[in-house]
Amino acid sequence: PEPGRCAYFVQRKGRFCRMVTAAGRRFCGEHGHEEEQNDRKRIPCPLDPKHTVYEDQLQKHLKKCNSREKPKPVYFVQDINAGLKDVAEIPEKQVPLSSLPIEELQNLIIKLKKASNGLELHLKEQILSHQALQEALNDPKNGESAFKHLKQQASILGNMENLHLLGPGRCFVEFGAGRGKLSHWVDIALENVESVQFLLVERATTRFKVDGKHKRRDSVFERLQVDIQHLCLNKVPILEKKKLPVVGIGKHLCGAATDLALRCLVESYTTCCDGDDEEPAPKRCRAAQTEVAPHKSAGNESTTEDHKPVAGIVIALCCHHKCDWTHYVGRDFFKSVGLGPVEFHYFQRMSSWATCGMQETTSKASTSEDSEDQTNDTEEHEQTLSRTESDSDTLQGTLSVEERKEIGCLCKRLIDHGRIEYLQQQGYKAVLQYYTEPAVSLENVLLTAVPNPSLIPEPTI
Protein backbone atom coordinates (compact mmCIF):
# COMPACT_ATOMS: atom_id res chain seq x y z
CA PRO A 1 0.00 0.00 0.00
CA GLU A 2 1.00 3.62 -0.50
CA PRO A 3 2.27 5.53 2.56
CA GLY A 4 -0.61 6.87 4.64
CA ARG A 5 -3.13 4.77 2.72
CA CYS A 6 -5.21 1.78 3.84
CA ALA A 7 -3.45 -1.60 3.86
CA TYR A 8 -6.62 -3.53 2.91
CA PHE A 9 -6.32 -5.34 -0.44
CA VAL A 10 -9.54 -5.08 -2.48
CA GLN A 11 -9.78 -8.41 -4.34
CA ARG A 12 -12.48 -7.20 -6.70
CA LYS A 13 -10.35 -4.30 -7.95
CA GLY A 14 -6.98 -6.02 -7.67
CA ARG A 15 -5.40 -3.18 -5.68
CA PHE A 16 -5.10 -1.75 -2.18
CA CYS A 17 -7.77 0.53 -0.77
CA ARG A 18 -6.83 4.17 -1.37
CA MET A 19 -8.54 5.72 1.65
CA VAL A 20 -6.40 7.81 4.01
CA THR A 21 -5.76 6.28 7.44
CA ALA A 22 -5.59 7.92 10.85
CA ALA A 23 -2.15 8.43 12.41
CA GLY A 24 -0.75 5.14 13.65
CA ARG A 25 -3.40 3.04 11.91
CA ARG A 26 -2.89 0.57 9.05
CA PHE A 27 -6.52 0.50 7.92
CA CYS A 28 -9.17 3.11 7.14
CA GLY A 29 -12.44 3.31 9.05
CA GLU A 30 -14.22 1.11 6.52
CA HIS A 31 -11.68 -1.69 6.92
CA GLY A 32 -10.80 -1.05 10.56
CA HIS A 33 -12.13 -4.46 11.52
CA GLU A 34 -8.98 -5.90 9.93
CA GLU A 35 -6.92 -4.56 12.82
CA GLU A 36 -6.05 -7.55 15.00
CA GLN A 37 -6.54 -5.63 18.20
CA ASN A 38 -9.94 -4.32 17.11
CA ASP A 39 -12.77 -6.53 18.41
CA ARG A 40 -15.59 -4.11 17.54
CA LYS A 41 -18.13 -5.46 15.06
CA ARG A 42 -18.91 -3.69 11.78
CA ILE A 43 -22.34 -4.07 10.18
CA PRO A 44 -23.84 -2.88 6.84
CA CYS A 45 -25.39 0.57 7.05
CA PRO A 46 -29.20 0.21 6.99
CA LEU A 47 -29.47 3.31 4.78
CA ASP A 48 -26.96 2.06 2.22
CA PRO A 49 -25.52 -1.48 2.56
CA LYS A 50 -22.66 -0.59 0.22
CA HIS A 51 -20.73 0.65 3.25
CA THR A 52 -20.36 -0.55 6.84
CA VAL A 53 -20.30 1.06 10.26
CA TYR A 54 -19.30 0.06 13.81
CA GLU A 55 -22.37 -1.43 15.48
CA ASP A 56 -21.82 0.57 18.67
CA GLN A 57 -21.73 3.82 16.61
CA LEU A 58 -24.77 3.11 14.43
CA GLN A 59 -27.06 5.79 15.88
CA LYS A 60 -24.36 8.45 15.59
CA HIS A 61 -23.62 7.39 12.01
CA LEU A 62 -27.28 7.50 10.91
CA LYS A 63 -27.44 11.20 11.80
CA LYS A 64 -24.60 12.10 9.43
CA CYS A 65 -24.69 9.33 6.79
CA ASN A 66 -24.63 10.76 3.26
CA SER A 67 -27.43 8.34 2.33
CA ARG A 68 -29.86 9.74 4.90
CA GLU A 69 -32.98 11.48 3.69
CA LYS A 70 -32.21 15.14 3.21
CA PRO A 71 -34.64 17.94 4.13
CA LYS A 72 -36.88 18.70 1.17
CA PRO A 73 -36.13 22.02 -0.60
CA VAL A 74 -38.82 24.70 -0.65
CA TYR A 75 -39.58 23.99 -4.32
CA PHE A 76 -40.34 20.30 -3.65
CA VAL A 77 -44.07 19.58 -3.97
CA GLN A 78 -44.88 15.87 -3.99
CA ASP A 79 -46.07 14.65 -7.43
CA ILE A 80 -47.07 18.14 -8.58
CA ASN A 81 -46.18 17.28 -12.19
CA ALA A 82 -47.01 13.56 -12.06
CA GLY A 83 -50.24 13.73 -14.04
CA LEU A 84 -52.63 10.80 -13.72
CA LYS A 85 -54.00 10.26 -10.21
CA ASP A 86 -56.77 7.77 -11.10
CA VAL A 87 -55.19 4.40 -10.30
CA ALA A 88 -58.02 2.56 -12.09
CA GLU A 89 -56.81 3.99 -15.42
CA ILE A 90 -53.23 2.80 -14.97
CA PRO A 91 -52.79 -0.40 -17.05
CA GLU A 92 -51.84 -3.66 -15.43
CA LYS A 93 -48.60 -5.37 -16.41
CA GLN A 94 -48.80 -6.25 -20.09
CA VAL A 95 -47.51 -9.28 -22.00
CA PRO A 96 -44.00 -8.55 -23.37
CA LEU A 97 -44.00 -7.48 -26.99
CA SER A 98 -41.88 -10.52 -27.88
CA SER A 99 -44.64 -12.84 -26.52
CA LEU A 100 -47.51 -11.10 -28.31
CA PRO A 101 -49.46 -13.32 -30.77
CA ILE A 102 -48.99 -12.31 -34.40
CA GLU A 103 -52.71 -11.54 -34.79
CA GLU A 104 -52.62 -9.07 -31.90
CA LEU A 105 -49.47 -7.45 -33.26
CA GLN A 106 -51.07 -7.00 -36.67
CA ASN A 107 -54.16 -5.52 -35.01
CA LEU A 108 -51.96 -3.04 -33.12
CA ILE A 109 -50.24 -1.99 -36.35
CA ILE A 110 -53.64 -1.42 -38.00
CA LYS A 111 -54.71 0.76 -35.05
CA LEU A 112 -51.42 2.66 -35.23
CA LYS A 113 -51.80 3.46 -38.93
CA LYS A 114 -55.44 4.42 -38.51
CA ALA A 115 -54.64 6.80 -35.62
CA SER A 116 -51.74 8.30 -37.59
CA ASN A 117 -53.84 8.94 -40.69
CA GLY A 118 -54.00 12.67 -41.34
CA LEU A 119 -51.17 13.59 -38.97
CA GLU A 120 -48.14 15.59 -40.16
CA LEU A 121 -45.57 12.79 -40.35
CA HIS A 122 -43.02 14.45 -42.65
CA LEU A 123 -41.29 16.94 -40.41
CA LYS A 124 -39.55 20.05 -41.63
CA GLU A 125 -35.75 20.18 -41.45
CA GLN A 126 -34.53 23.04 -39.30
CA ILE A 127 -30.82 22.25 -39.04
CA LEU A 128 -29.19 25.46 -37.84
CA SER A 129 -26.01 26.56 -36.11
CA HIS A 130 -24.85 29.35 -33.85
CA GLN A 131 -21.79 31.55 -33.83
CA ALA A 132 -21.12 30.79 -30.16
CA LEU A 133 -20.01 27.26 -31.05
CA GLN A 134 -18.05 27.94 -34.23
CA GLU A 135 -14.66 27.93 -32.53
CA ALA A 136 -15.40 24.66 -30.74
CA LEU A 137 -16.81 23.08 -33.91
CA ASN A 138 -13.59 23.91 -35.76
CA ASP A 139 -11.32 22.60 -33.01
CA PRO A 140 -9.37 19.62 -34.46
CA LYS A 141 -8.85 18.21 -30.95
CA ASN A 142 -12.50 17.17 -30.73
CA GLY A 143 -13.26 13.49 -31.26
CA GLU A 144 -16.22 12.23 -33.27
CA SER A 145 -18.50 11.96 -30.24
CA ALA A 146 -17.73 15.50 -29.00
CA PHE A 147 -18.24 16.88 -32.52
CA LYS A 148 -21.69 15.28 -32.73
CA HIS A 149 -22.72 16.81 -29.42
CA LEU A 150 -21.48 20.23 -30.50
CA LYS A 151 -23.46 20.06 -33.75
CA GLN A 152 -26.62 19.24 -31.83
CA GLN A 153 -26.05 21.99 -29.28
CA ALA A 154 -25.30 24.47 -32.07
CA SER A 155 -28.57 23.61 -33.83
CA ILE A 156 -30.57 23.87 -30.59
CA LEU A 157 -29.12 27.35 -29.99
CA GLY A 158 -29.79 28.28 -33.62
CA ASN A 159 -33.44 27.29 -33.22
CA MET A 160 -33.66 29.24 -29.95
CA GLU A 161 -32.29 32.32 -31.69
CA ASN A 162 -34.72 31.80 -34.56
CA LEU A 163 -37.57 31.92 -32.02
CA HIS A 164 -36.10 35.05 -30.35
CA LEU A 165 -35.60 33.17 -27.09
CA LEU A 166 -31.96 34.20 -26.59
CA GLY A 167 -32.53 37.48 -24.87
CA PRO A 168 -31.85 39.42 -21.66
CA GLY A 169 -33.88 39.32 -18.47
CA ARG A 170 -34.66 35.61 -18.79
CA CYS A 171 -34.34 32.47 -16.71
CA PHE A 172 -33.23 29.40 -18.67
CA VAL A 173 -34.32 26.15 -17.00
CA GLU A 174 -32.37 23.15 -18.29
CA PHE A 175 -34.19 19.91 -17.50
CA GLY A 176 -32.08 16.77 -17.19
CA ALA A 177 -29.06 19.06 -17.17
CA GLY A 178 -26.34 16.48 -16.46
CA ARG A 179 -23.05 18.37 -16.66
CA GLY A 180 -24.85 21.52 -17.81
CA LYS A 181 -23.30 21.77 -21.28
CA LEU A 182 -26.40 23.17 -23.01
CA SER A 183 -26.70 25.98 -20.47
CA HIS A 184 -22.96 26.54 -20.85
CA TRP A 185 -23.35 27.32 -24.55
CA VAL A 186 -26.46 29.44 -24.00
CA ASP A 187 -24.44 31.50 -21.52
CA ILE A 188 -21.63 31.96 -24.06
CA ALA A 189 -24.18 32.98 -26.71
CA LEU A 190 -25.46 35.64 -24.27
CA GLU A 191 -21.99 36.91 -23.40
CA ASN A 192 -22.87 40.60 -23.60
CA VAL A 193 -26.43 40.27 -22.28
CA GLU A 194 -27.47 41.39 -18.82
CA SER A 195 -29.63 39.78 -16.14
CA VAL A 196 -29.55 36.11 -17.14
CA GLN A 197 -30.36 33.27 -14.73
CA PHE A 198 -29.79 29.53 -15.23
CA LEU A 199 -31.51 26.77 -13.27
CA LEU A 200 -30.03 23.33 -13.89
CA VAL A 201 -32.49 20.59 -12.90
CA GLU A 202 -30.97 17.15 -12.29
CA ARG A 203 -32.15 14.54 -9.80
CA ALA A 204 -28.76 12.81 -9.49
CA THR A 205 -25.44 14.16 -8.33
CA THR A 206 -23.23 14.86 -11.33
CA ARG A 207 -19.47 14.68 -11.77
CA PHE A 208 -17.41 16.97 -14.03
CA LYS A 209 -20.00 19.77 -14.02
CA VAL A 210 -19.16 22.81 -16.14
CA ASP A 211 -21.01 25.26 -13.88
CA GLY A 212 -17.77 26.51 -12.34
CA LYS A 213 -16.53 27.82 -15.69
CA HIS A 214 -19.01 30.67 -15.61
CA LYS A 215 -17.52 33.76 -14.05
CA ARG A 216 -19.75 36.47 -15.53
CA ARG A 217 -21.38 38.68 -12.93
CA ASP A 218 -24.52 39.11 -15.04
CA SER A 219 -25.39 35.39 -15.24
CA VAL A 220 -26.14 33.19 -12.25
CA PHE A 221 -26.04 29.39 -12.25
CA GLU A 222 -28.00 27.40 -9.69
CA ARG A 223 -28.51 23.63 -9.48
CA LEU A 224 -31.81 22.13 -8.36
CA GLN A 225 -31.24 18.52 -7.30
CA VAL A 226 -34.81 17.28 -7.53
CA ASP A 227 -36.89 14.96 -9.68
CA ILE A 228 -38.87 16.98 -12.26
CA GLN A 229 -41.98 15.15 -11.01
CA HIS A 230 -41.81 17.12 -7.75
CA LEU A 231 -40.48 20.48 -8.98
CA CYS A 232 -42.62 23.57 -8.42
CA LEU A 233 -40.84 26.40 -10.22
CA ASN A 234 -43.08 28.98 -8.55
CA LYS A 235 -41.36 28.21 -5.26
CA VAL A 236 -37.78 28.54 -6.50
CA PRO A 237 -36.54 31.60 -4.56
CA ILE A 238 -34.85 33.34 -7.52
CA LEU A 239 -38.06 33.16 -9.59
CA GLU A 240 -40.20 34.34 -6.70
CA LYS A 241 -37.89 37.30 -6.25
CA LYS A 242 -37.09 38.38 -9.81
CA LYS A 243 -40.19 37.17 -11.70
CA LEU A 244 -38.17 36.49 -14.84
CA PRO A 245 -39.74 34.98 -17.97
CA VAL A 246 -38.74 31.31 -18.23
CA VAL A 247 -37.34 29.38 -21.20
CA GLY A 248 -37.43 25.60 -20.73
CA ILE A 249 -34.64 23.73 -22.53
CA GLY A 250 -33.34 20.16 -22.67
CA LYS A 251 -31.08 17.98 -24.79
CA HIS A 252 -32.31 14.39 -25.05
CA LEU A 253 -34.79 14.44 -22.21
CA CYS A 254 -35.63 10.76 -21.80
CA GLY A 255 -39.19 9.51 -22.21
CA ALA A 256 -41.47 10.49 -19.34
CA ALA A 257 -39.07 13.25 -18.25
CA THR A 258 -40.24 15.29 -21.26
CA ASP A 259 -43.87 15.00 -20.18
CA LEU A 260 -42.99 15.93 -16.60
CA ALA A 261 -41.05 18.97 -17.82
CA LEU A 262 -43.90 20.14 -20.07
CA ARG A 263 -46.40 19.86 -17.25
CA CYS A 264 -43.96 21.60 -14.88
CA LEU A 265 -43.75 24.57 -17.24
CA VAL A 266 -47.25 25.04 -18.64
CA GLU A 267 -49.36 23.86 -15.69
CA SER A 268 -47.72 24.00 -12.27
CA TYR A 269 -45.52 27.00 -13.09
CA THR A 270 -48.30 29.18 -14.45
CA THR A 271 -50.57 28.62 -11.46
CA CYS A 272 -49.92 29.56 -7.85
CA CYS A 273 -48.44 26.75 -5.75
CA ASP A 274 -49.80 27.84 -2.39
CA GLY A 275 -51.45 24.47 -1.87
CA ASP A 276 -50.80 21.00 -3.24
CA ASP A 277 -54.47 20.42 -4.06
CA GLU A 278 -55.12 23.67 -5.86
CA GLU A 279 -56.83 23.28 -9.22
CA PRO A 280 -54.99 24.58 -12.32
CA ALA A 281 -56.16 27.84 -13.82
CA PRO A 282 -58.52 27.61 -16.82
CA LYS A 283 -56.69 26.98 -20.09
CA ARG A 284 -57.81 30.28 -21.63
CA CYS A 285 -56.43 32.27 -18.72
CA ARG A 286 -53.28 30.19 -18.57
CA ALA A 287 -52.51 30.96 -22.21
CA ALA A 288 -52.88 34.65 -21.49
CA GLN A 289 -50.62 34.44 -18.49
CA THR A 290 -47.83 32.72 -20.44
CA GLU A 291 -47.67 35.22 -23.27
CA VAL A 292 -44.34 37.03 -23.54
CA ALA A 293 -43.40 39.12 -26.56
CA PRO A 294 -40.17 37.49 -27.81
CA HIS A 295 -38.56 40.73 -28.90
CA LYS A 296 -38.91 42.59 -25.60
CA SER A 297 -35.76 43.20 -23.62
CA ALA A 298 -34.35 43.40 -20.13
CA GLY A 299 -37.37 45.02 -18.52
CA ASN A 300 -39.51 41.97 -19.25
CA GLU A 301 -41.33 40.75 -16.18
CA SER A 302 -44.60 39.03 -15.46
CA THR A 303 -47.65 40.96 -16.56
CA THR A 304 -49.33 40.13 -13.26
CA GLU A 305 -48.11 39.90 -9.71
CA ASP A 306 -49.28 36.31 -9.21
CA HIS A 307 -48.21 34.65 -12.43
CA LYS A 308 -44.84 34.45 -14.14
CA PRO A 309 -44.68 33.73 -17.89
CA VAL A 310 -43.10 30.92 -19.92
CA ALA A 311 -41.45 32.54 -22.93
CA GLY A 312 -40.71 29.32 -24.78
CA ILE A 313 -39.82 25.62 -24.73
CA VAL A 314 -37.04 23.92 -26.73
CA ILE A 315 -36.50 20.22 -26.02
CA ALA A 316 -34.67 17.55 -28.04
CA LEU A 317 -36.82 14.45 -27.66
CA CYS A 318 -35.46 11.03 -26.77
CA CYS A 319 -36.19 7.47 -25.60
CA HIS A 320 -39.90 7.14 -26.32
CA HIS A 321 -39.69 3.55 -25.05
CA LYS A 322 -39.28 5.06 -21.56
CA CYS A 323 -42.55 6.98 -21.73
CA ASP A 324 -45.23 6.25 -19.15
CA TRP A 325 -49.01 6.50 -19.50
CA THR A 326 -49.22 7.84 -15.94
CA HIS A 327 -47.13 10.90 -16.81
CA TYR A 328 -47.94 11.25 -20.54
CA VAL A 329 -49.45 14.65 -21.38
CA GLY A 330 -51.18 13.42 -24.56
CA ARG A 331 -53.66 11.01 -22.97
CA ASP A 332 -56.65 13.07 -24.20
CA PHE A 333 -55.34 12.86 -27.77
CA PHE A 334 -54.90 9.08 -27.54
CA LYS A 335 -58.47 8.70 -26.25
CA SER A 336 -59.80 10.95 -29.05
CA VAL A 337 -58.47 8.51 -31.68
CA GLY A 338 -59.81 5.44 -29.88
CA LEU A 339 -56.60 4.42 -28.10
CA GLY A 340 -55.85 3.86 -24.44
CA PRO A 341 -53.20 2.73 -21.96
CA VAL A 342 -52.84 -0.77 -23.44
CA GLU A 343 -52.11 0.52 -26.95
CA PHE A 344 -49.82 3.19 -25.51
CA HIS A 345 -47.81 0.51 -23.68
CA TYR A 346 -47.17 -1.43 -26.89
CA PHE A 347 -46.60 1.65 -29.04
CA GLN A 348 -43.96 3.01 -26.68
CA ARG A 349 -42.20 -0.38 -26.77
CA MET A 350 -42.47 -0.55 -30.57
CA SER A 351 -41.01 2.95 -30.84
CA SER A 352 -37.58 1.40 -30.24
CA TRP A 353 -37.90 -0.30 -33.64
CA ALA A 354 -37.06 3.09 -35.18
CA THR A 355 -33.41 2.30 -34.49
CA CYS A 356 -33.44 -1.45 -35.21
CA GLY A 357 -30.70 -2.44 -37.63
CA MET A 358 -28.57 0.42 -36.30
CA GLN A 359 -26.63 -1.63 -33.75
CA GLU A 360 -23.47 -1.57 -35.84
CA THR A 361 -23.57 2.23 -36.07
CA THR A 362 -24.12 2.72 -32.37
CA SER A 363 -21.49 0.20 -31.33
CA LYS A 364 -18.93 2.00 -33.44
CA ALA A 365 -19.93 5.32 -31.92
CA SER A 366 -19.63 3.91 -28.44
CA THR A 367 -15.97 3.02 -29.00
CA SER A 368 -15.04 6.65 -29.52
CA GLU A 369 -12.17 7.74 -27.34
CA ASP A 370 -13.91 10.99 -26.51
CA SER A 371 -16.50 9.93 -23.94
CA GLU A 372 -16.63 12.94 -21.65
CA ASP A 373 -20.37 13.30 -22.20
CA GLN A 374 -21.07 9.57 -21.90
CA THR A 375 -23.50 9.98 -19.01
CA ASN A 376 -25.78 12.12 -21.18
CA ASP A 377 -24.95 11.25 -24.75
CA THR A 378 -27.06 10.13 -27.66
CA GLU A 379 -25.09 7.03 -28.52
CA GLU A 380 -25.73 5.60 -25.07
CA HIS A 381 -29.46 6.19 -25.51
CA GLU A 382 -29.47 4.54 -28.92
CA GLN A 383 -27.69 1.45 -27.61
CA THR A 384 -30.38 1.16 -24.93
CA LEU A 385 -33.05 1.36 -27.61
CA SER A 386 -31.46 -1.42 -29.60
CA ARG A 387 -31.16 -3.75 -26.63
CA THR A 388 -34.69 -3.23 -25.31
CA GLU A 389 -36.58 -4.79 -28.20
CA SER A 390 -34.54 -5.25 -31.36
CA ASP A 391 -32.29 -7.97 -30.05
CA SER A 392 -34.74 -9.68 -27.72
CA ASP A 393 -38.00 -10.17 -29.58
CA THR A 394 -38.87 -12.96 -31.99
CA LEU A 395 -40.65 -10.85 -34.60
CA GLN A 396 -37.72 -10.43 -36.96
CA GLY A 397 -39.06 -13.23 -39.15
CA THR A 398 -42.46 -11.52 -39.42
CA LEU A 399 -41.45 -7.96 -40.26
CA SER A 400 -38.51 -6.74 -42.30
CA VAL A 401 -36.00 -4.30 -40.83
CA GLU A 402 -37.42 -1.48 -42.95
CA GLU A 403 -40.99 -2.26 -41.87
CA ARG A 404 -39.94 -2.27 -38.22
CA LYS A 405 -38.16 1.05 -38.62
CA GLU A 406 -41.20 2.58 -40.31
CA ILE A 407 -43.54 1.35 -37.56
CA GLY A 408 -41.12 2.54 -34.85
CA CYS A 409 -40.97 6.04 -36.36
CA LEU A 410 -44.77 6.08 -36.62
CA CYS A 411 -45.06 5.25 -32.91
CA LYS A 412 -42.67 8.09 -32.03
CA ARG A 413 -44.58 10.62 -34.13
CA LEU A 414 -47.92 9.53 -32.67
CA ILE A 415 -46.63 9.95 -29.10
CA ASP A 416 -45.07 13.30 -30.00
CA HIS A 417 -48.28 14.51 -31.67
CA GLY A 418 -50.08 13.99 -28.36
CA ARG A 419 -47.55 16.37 -26.80
CA ILE A 420 -48.11 18.93 -29.56
CA GLU A 421 -51.90 18.85 -29.10
CA TYR A 422 -51.45 19.20 -25.34
CA LEU A 423 -49.31 22.34 -25.80
CA GLN A 424 -51.76 23.77 -28.34
CA GLN A 425 -54.62 23.30 -25.90
CA GLN A 426 -52.57 25.11 -23.26
CA GLY A 427 -52.21 28.14 -25.55
CA TYR A 428 -48.90 27.46 -27.30
CA LYS A 429 -47.78 27.35 -30.89
CA ALA A 430 -45.90 24.03 -30.88
CA VAL A 431 -43.87 22.42 -33.69
CA LEU A 432 -41.79 19.29 -34.29
CA GLN A 433 -38.79 19.48 -36.61
CA TYR A 434 -35.58 17.66 -37.48
CA TYR A 435 -32.78 19.67 -35.90
CA THR A 436 -29.83 17.49 -36.95
CA GLU A 437 -28.96 14.71 -39.40
CA PRO A 438 -29.59 11.03 -38.55
CA ALA A 439 -25.84 10.44 -38.96
CA VAL A 440 -25.28 12.82 -36.02
CA SER A 441 -28.10 11.44 -33.87
CA LEU A 442 -30.90 8.98 -34.52
CA GLU A 443 -32.90 10.95 -31.94
CA ASN A 444 -33.00 14.04 -34.12
CA VAL A 445 -36.42 15.60 -33.42
CA LEU A 446 -36.74 18.93 -31.62
CA LEU A 447 -39.94 20.13 -29.96
CA THR A 448 -40.34 23.91 -29.82
CA ALA A 449 -43.20 25.93 -28.37
CA VAL A 450 -43.92 29.62 -27.84
CA PRO A 451 -47.11 31.31 -26.59
CA ASN A 452 -49.70 31.66 -29.35
CA PRO A 453 -50.80 35.31 -29.60
CA SER A 454 -54.02 34.34 -31.42
CA LEU A 455 -55.26 32.57 -28.27
CA ILE A 456 -54.85 35.64 -26.06
CA PRO A 457 -58.32 37.06 -25.33
CA GLU A 458 -58.90 40.65 -26.38
CA PRO A 459 -59.15 43.09 -23.44
CA THR A 460 -62.69 44.25 -22.72
CA ILE A 461 -63.34 47.99 -23.00
Side-chain angles (χ1 to χ4, degrees):
E2 299 176 17
R5 303 285 177 170
C6 180
Y8 181 81
F9 188 79
V10 186
Q11 294 288 346
R12 180 172 57 87
K13 296 184 178 180
R15 59 168 175 77
F16 287 98
C17 173
R18 293 173 179 164
M19 295 294 288
V20 177
T21 60
R25 293 295 185 97
R26 293 183 61 236
F27 297 95
C28 67
E30 181 68 18
H31 303 116
H33 59 281
E34 297 294 326
E35 298 274 8
E36 293 181 4
Q37 69 273 23
N38 194 342
D39 296 327
R40 298 162 69 192
K41 182 181 178 182
R42 290 187 73 88
I43 60 174
C45 173
L47 299 178
D48 181 5
K50 292 180 180 179
H51 67 273
T52 61
V53 59
Y54 284 118
E55 189 173 27
D56 58 3
Q57 289 188 339
L58 178 60
Q59 295 307 316
K60 181 180 178 182
H61 171 79
L62 292 177
K63 294 178 182 178
K64 61 179 182 179
C65 178
N66 288 332
S67 298
R68 71 190 186 281
E69 186 176 359
K70 309 292 194 303
K72 296 290 189 291
V74 292
Y75 44 79
F76 181 98
V77 178
Q78 185 73 37
D79 293 330
I80 187 171
N81 306 313
L84 186 62
K85 293 182 174 64
D86 183 5
V87 181
E89 195 178 331
I90 300 174
E92 297 178 3
K93 191 173 183 180
Q94 302 295 328
V95 176
L97 195 57
S98 56
S99 304
L100 205 63
I102 298 301
E103 295 77 14
E104 288 190 37
L105 174 66
Q106 291 173 339
N107 188 40
L108 280 170
I109 294 173
I110 291 171
K111 286 185 176 181
L112 172 67
K113 292 183 177 179
K114 182 180 178 181
S116 303
N117 189 31
L119 300 184
E120 182 56 58
L121 302 175
H122 301 287
L123 307 184
K124 177 184 177 183
E125 277 197 359
Q126 193 79 351
I127 302 173
L128 305 175
S129 190
H130 196 278
Q131 187 62 35
L133 289 95
Q134 289 310 304
E135 184 178 346
L137 283 166
N138 296 326
D139 188 348
K141 294 180 181 179
N142 284 321
E144 182 182 357
S145 177
F147 181 68
K148 287 181 177 181
H149 285 294
L150 289 168
K151 287 197 73 173
Q152 293 172 70
Q153 290 154 347
S155 185
I156 291 173
L157 261 68
N159 277 278
M160 290 176 68
E161 186 172 54
N162 199 43
L163 292 169
H164 308 287
L165 296 177
L166 293 177
R170 303 241 165 127
C171 177
F172 295 88
V173 182
E174 183 178 358
F175 294 94
R179 296 177 58 203
K181 275 295 189 70
L182 186 56
S183 293
H184 165 79
W185 290 115
V186 172
D187 185 52
I188 290 178
L190 298 174
E191 186 176 3
N192 299 316
V193 173
E194 297 178 354
S195 185
V196 180
Q197 171 77 35
F198 292 90
L199 295 176
L200 280 61
V201 182
E202 179 61 63
R203 65 182 178 183
T205 54
T206 308
R207 300 175 67 195
F208 310 118
K209 298 185 286 288
V210 297
D211 312 14
K213 296 182 179 180
H214 304 277
K215 306 297 183 184
R216 290 201 300 124
R217 289 178 297 175
D218 292 331
S219 65
V220 180
F221 278 71
E222 181 181 349
R223 278 195 172 259
L224 308 181
Q225 189 176 339
V226 63
D227 193 309
I228 304 170
Q229 183 171 332
H230 313 300
L231 172 61
C232 180
L233 286 175
N234 273 314
K235 294 191 174 183
V236 177
I238 189 71
L239 292 178
E240 277 191 321
K241 180 182 178 181
K242 292 191 175 182
K243 298 182 174 63
L244 296 173
V246 161
V247 178
I249 61 177
K251 177 175 175 285
H252 294 291
L253 198 55
C254 276
T258 293
D259 299 298
L260 295 172
L262 293 179
R263 195 176 283 107
C264 175
L265 289 165
V266 306
E267 286 190 47
S268 65
Y269 182 56
T270 49
T271 58
C272 291
C273 290
D274 295 331
D276 296 358
D277 301 323
E278 185 172 346
E279 290 295 320
K283 292 174 183 176
R284 180 185 175 111
C285 296
R286 193 156 53 232
Q289 292 155 5
T290 56
E291 169 64 3
V292 175
H295 59 275
K296 289 185 180 179
S297 59
N300 256 347
E301 289 191 355
S302 174
T303 54
T304 69
E305 285 187 14
D306 297 326
H307 298 279
K308 299 172 280 292
V310 174
I313 301 169
V314 180
I315 295 175
L317 302 173
C318 178
C319 295
H320 295 70
H321 69 286
K322 291 186 178 180
C323 289
D324 189 312
W325 178 258
T326 306
H327 304 311
Y328 181 51
V329 296
R331 290 192 304 269
D332 288 344
F333 162 70
F334 257 62
K335 293 174 184 176
S336 72
V337 292
L339 302 175
V342 175
E343 290 83 6
F344 180 84
H345 167 81
Y346 288 119
F347 290 166
Q348 54 107 347
R349 300 310 300 168
M350 290 158 64
S351 69
S352 65
W353 291 357
T355 55
C356 71
M358 297 293 183
Q359 293 92 326
E360 182 180 354
T361 303
T362 57
S363 63
K364 285 181 180 178
S366 67
T367 60
S368 171
E369 293 180 5
D370 190 336
S371 58
E372 65 171 6
D373 282 324
Q374 195 66 26
T375 55
N376 189 32
D377 76 10
T378 311
E379 290 77 15
E380 181 182 74
H381 293 241
E382 290 161 1
Q383 289 179 59
T384 305
L385 289 172
S386 299
R387 285 195 294 267
T388 52
E389 294 291 353
S390 298
D391 296 339
S392 62
D393 65 49
T394 58
L395 301 170
Q396 295 193 22
T398 307
L399 299 168
S400 69
V401 170
E402 287 303 317
E403 286 174 324
R404 288 159 60 90
K405 286 170 61 178
E406 181 183 350
I407 292 168
C409 288
L410 211 55
C411 290
K412 283 176 175 282
R413 297 294 77 80
L414 189 69
I415 292 171
D416 289 340
H417 186 80
R419 291 163 169 167
I420 293 296
E421 283 215 356
Y422 165 79
L423 288 168
Q424 290 172 345
Q425 290 169 2
Q426 298 289 335
Y428 288 83
K429 182 179 179 181
V431 180
L432 295 171
Q433 61 232 334
Y434 293 119
Y435 78 103
T436 193
E437 302 89 351
V440 173
S441 173
L442 296 176
E443 297 282 16
N444 61 339
V445 174
L446 188 71
L447 184 154
T448 63
V450 291
N452 192 342
S454 64
L455 297 182
I456 305 301
E458 292 293 330
T460 55
I461 301 176

